[in-house]
Amino acid sequence: MVETVGNAAAQATPETVVVTVRHFAAAAEAAGCVEEQLSITGGATLGQLRAALIDRHGQAMARVLDVAAYLQNDELTRDLDDVVGPRVDVLPPFAGG
């Protein structure tokens, strides 16, 4: 389960953690923000986070996430089975050099 929380100091229970999602380029445009805080069930996967972001931001976000990569703990991944960390950067492909 993923839900938006009001601020970074949101209350997390033992079953939930607060994750910061940072959006770049087309992802920021689709989300309408560059950063948001989500309360997510501990142990949730990037696939579950992806589904929640699509539910929240719609088809524009779905199109971006179809080609996006995620940066967690300084590691770039597209593996939707990876467990969500405390901060996830959504990185769509960038044009240019």
Side-chain angles (χ1 to χ4, degrees), residues 24-27 63-69 78 90-96:
F24 293 86
R63 286 188 294 277
V64 171
L65 295 180
D66 282 345
V67 295
R78 286 189 168 87
V90 179
L91 304 172
F94 293 92

Side-chain angles (χ1 to χ4, degrees), residues 11-57:
Q11 299 297 319
T13 68
E15 301 85 29
T16 64
V17 295
V18 176
V19 61
T20 299
V21 180
R22 298 189 313 174
H23 303 289
F24 293 86
E29 186 176 323
C33 63
V34 295
E35 184 174 296
E36 60 186 317
Q37 307 291 316
L38 301 174
S39 178
I40 188 166
T41 302
T45 65
L46 284 173
Q48 292 169 307
L49 178 65
R50 179 186 185 279
L53 290 170
I54 292 169
D55 285 345
R56 179 168 172 76
H57 300 295

